[in-house]
């Protein structure tokens, strides 16, 4: 059973960490500009924060970077799918004019690969988005309860 630690967090630190969670929740809808602001605040404030607030700042930083990596990997997959699609389109367009490329691309395999990469991109982006949103909501609930972020075993 987790013990309440509400007396150990300063109200200003609690408010700043809650605002940070709010910034992280809306960050995906602002092309991540508010996420960068939240990271700046978390990095600046965590050094002088009390134990509970510091655990939340550390959690926010970890969650943000993990989800950014997922979204970045998804972007690489989407770029691969786009490149494969353009490659197939260019070859098809050139073949229509009777121009043969020295390398033949199998449009079926390229299409299947592009679809797979596109689905992988959607899955990675979704995992990053859901992870950031749910992590922020659950973190804010724990913070409002005065509990540190993460599991507490006592």
């Amino acid at each position: 059973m987790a013990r309440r630690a509400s007396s150990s967090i300063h109200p200003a630190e609690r408010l700043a960490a809650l605002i940070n969670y709010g910034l992280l929740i809306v960050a995906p809808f602002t092309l991540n500009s508010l996420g960068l602001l939240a990271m700046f605040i978390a990095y600046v404030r965590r050094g002088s924060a009390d134990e509970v607030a510091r655990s939340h700042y550390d959690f926010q930083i970890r969650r943000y970077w993990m989800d950014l990596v997922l979204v970045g990997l998804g972007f690489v997959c989407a770029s691969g799918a786009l490149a494969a699609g353009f490659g197939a389109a260019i070859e098809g367009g050139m073949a229509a004019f009777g121009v043969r490329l020295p390398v033949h691309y199998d449009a079926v395999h390229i299409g299947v690969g592009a679809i797979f990469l596109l689905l992988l991109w959607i899955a990675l982006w979704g995992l990053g988005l859901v992870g950031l949103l749910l992590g922020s909501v659950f973190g804010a609930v724990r913070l409002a309860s005065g509990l540190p972020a993460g599991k507490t075993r006592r």
Side-chain angles (χ1 to χ4, degrees), residues 2-138:
R3 200 170 47 161
R4 295 184 70 84
S6 59
S7 61
S8 67
I9 187 168
H10 191 273
E13 286 297 334
R14 179 184 304 205
L15 179 62
L18 280 172
I19 288 172
N20 239 22
Y21 278 123
L23 291 173
L24 288 173
I25 288 170
V26 297
F29 309 107
T30 63
L31 295 177
N32 207 26
S33 58
L34 292 180
L36 292 173
L37 176 62
M39 285 307 92
F40 177 77
I41 293 169
Y43 276 114
V44 168
R45 294 192 68 108
R46 83 172 168 174
S48 61
D50 54 58
E51 183 182 343
V52 174
R54 185 178 304 116
S55 74
H56 284 278
Y57 290 133
D58 289 340
F59 175 75
Q60 291 167 353
I61 291 168
R62 242 186 353 265
R63 186 82 249 173
Y64 177 81
W65 289 115
M66 284 190 310
D67 296 330
L68 194 63
V69 165
L70 285 174
V71 171
L73 288 173
F75 177 76
V76 169
C77 291
S79 299
L82 193 61
F86 279 144
I90 288 171
E91 184 188 24
M94 293 180 80
F97 290 108
V99 177
R100 296 197 46 91
L101 297 175
V103 178
H104 175 67
Y105 298 101
D106 183 7
V108 171
H109 288 104
I110 290 174
V112 169
I115 290 171
F116 172 75
L117 287 174
L118 188 63
L119 291 174
L120 189 58
W121 167 67
I122 291 170
L124 289 170
W125 184 82
L127 281 173
L129 177 67
V130 168
L132 186 64
L133 294 176
L134 288 180
S136 297
V137 168
F138 289 130

